[in-house]
Amino acid sequence: MSNKEYGRFITFEGIEGSGKSTNIAWAQEYLRGQDIEVLLTHEPGRTRIGEELRTVLLRTRDDRLMPMTELFLIFASRMQLLEEVIIPALRRGTWVLCDRYVDSSIAYQGGGRELGVERVEKLVQAMGELYAKPDLTVLLDLPPNMILDRLTNRTLDRFESEEQSFFERIRRTYLDLARNDPRIRVVDATRPLESVQDEIAGLLNALLNESIDG
Ligand code: Z5A
């Protein structure tokens, strides 16, 4: 997926409440303002099959969903999304913005659920040629003790009801990934939205300039 005729693939990552939905919608408008055709999507879900899997994944913790089952359901939703939506869009030259992608599985299932980073990375390898590698990943970094301030007036789902230590492990795994991969850019999400978006604009401009320079 590195042909310059293809669209760019940008993913947004972070723990709940870090501002992914808010900033990805803003990024979509920003890119459209630069005359870029953009498709915004999210994981898990978006396709008909993916949305059914999402319902199973997010409903309350009364269902005894095992960590490995959770991992495979997320990858099942991902494969459906890649083949139905993401890869065709990139091939048309459309830029794709995705709210969560494989780094979420490494951080949540590998780190949070303690299945191990390597095990999840092996599944990524097993995706073979269907793995679209992001050109840029914006990691919105927020300390877990700020989650509840951001998620007011909401019924918590199966993930959001987890203890703080779960989110500490996720954050640590995300930051470890970022330390080893320049594709992942850490943005301090504790700051006011305007500063966060200024920084994201800088990251998007760098990609836009690369596309113009070819
Ligand atoms: N999951 C997984 O375990 N493994 C995987 O591989 C994948 C997913 C792909 C999907 O949930 C769940 O699936 C997810 C992990 C799991 N866990 N949960 N729950 P989701 O899609 O329903 O939710 P989410 O991805 O966690 O997003 P979210 O909870 O909606 O949060 P957000 O999108 O990051 O934040 P937001 O909605 O943009 O912002 C939250 C509030 O904060 C809102 O009122 C904003 O106005 C406010 N906000 C945002 N930024 C700021 C700043 N900078 N200052 C002040 N206020 C702000």
Side-chain angles (χ1 to χ4, degrees), residues 183-198:
R183 157 184 68 87
I184 305 176
R185 306 302 293 266
V186 182
V187 172
D188 176 359
T190 62
R191 294 170 303 159
L193 265 180
E194 198 176 279
S195 321
V196 170
Q197 289 169 353
D198 276 351

Side-chain angles (χ1 to χ4, degrees), residues 15-22 43-44 54 58 74 78 100 104-105 108-109 150-151 154 157 159-160 189 191-193:
I15 59 173
E16 1 299 280
S18 57
K20 293 176 304 301
S21 317
T22 307
E43 284 200 343
R54 180 184 174 90
L58 295 197
I74 287 167
R78 174 166 301 138
R100 298 192 178 281
S104 279
S105 305
Y108 278 73
Q109 281 64 50
R150 297 274 178 99
L151 301 186
R154 194 197 271 196
D157 66 33
F159 289 95
E160 290 163 350
R191 294 170 303 159
L193 265 180

Side-chain angles (χ1 to χ4, degrees), residues 17-42:
S18 57
K20 293 176 304 301
S21 317
T22 307
N23 289 301
I24 206 169
W26 176 86
Q28 180 184 34
E29 287 314 306
Y30 183 82
L31 289 170
R32 283 188 173 154
Q34 316 288 318
D35 284 335
I36 299 285
E37 195 177 314
V38 190
L39 183 141
L40 195 163
T41 190
H42 65 264

